[in-house]
Amino acid sequence: MKIQMNFDADCLEYILKNDLLEKIRPYLSLSEVLEWMANYPEVLECEKDAHLYTGTEGVGIVLRMNRKEDAFIVTVYDVSIY
């Protein structure tokens, strides 16, 4: 099984333009994704996109995961600062 992390192009542009990488780095880890898979095993069988909403006070991140054969593609889909 492979896990690949990607960034949505618009989201990456927003992160870089607003210098948010350090704020969101703790939530973009493989351990965050593995914990999600362990706590919600149904995402492993999901043929459509599954979404993880993570972050902390002031930062919200949406990760989108889909499965293609033996690989899980995790995309940083949205970042919100509030």
Side-chain angles (χ1 to χ4, degrees):
M1 173 180 8
K2 299 175 201 169
I3 298 175
Q4 176 183 339
M5 286 194 81
N6 299 317
F7 285 85
D8 173 82
D10 292 335
C11 185
L12 180 59
E13 182 179 329
Y14 176 78
I15 291 166
L16 297 175
K17 183 178 178 180
N18 293 289
D19 198 29
L20 300 175
L21 192 55
E22 290 305 314
K23 275 189 172 181
I24 66 172
R25 184 184 308 267
Y27 309 101
L28 301 180
S29 68
L30 181 59
S31 63
E32 186 80 16
V33 173
L34 292 174
E35 183 177 337
W36 179 29
M37 292 173 147
N39 291 337
Y40 303 97
E42 63 272 11
V43 302
L44 299 175
E45 303 301 322
C46 194
E47 292 184 21
K48 294 185 176 186
D49 292 346
H51 294 86
L52 168 65
Y53 303 93
T54 186
T56 186
E57 188 174 316
V59 179
I61 299 169
V62 180
L63 302 177
R64 180 180 64 205
M65 183 176 79
N66 62 14
R67 185 177 187 164
K68 296 200 177 176
E69 297 176 14
D70 67 339
F72 291 94
I73 312 299
V74 178
T75 303
V76 180
Y77 185 72
D78 189 30
V79 173
S80 300
I81 304 298
Y82 50 93

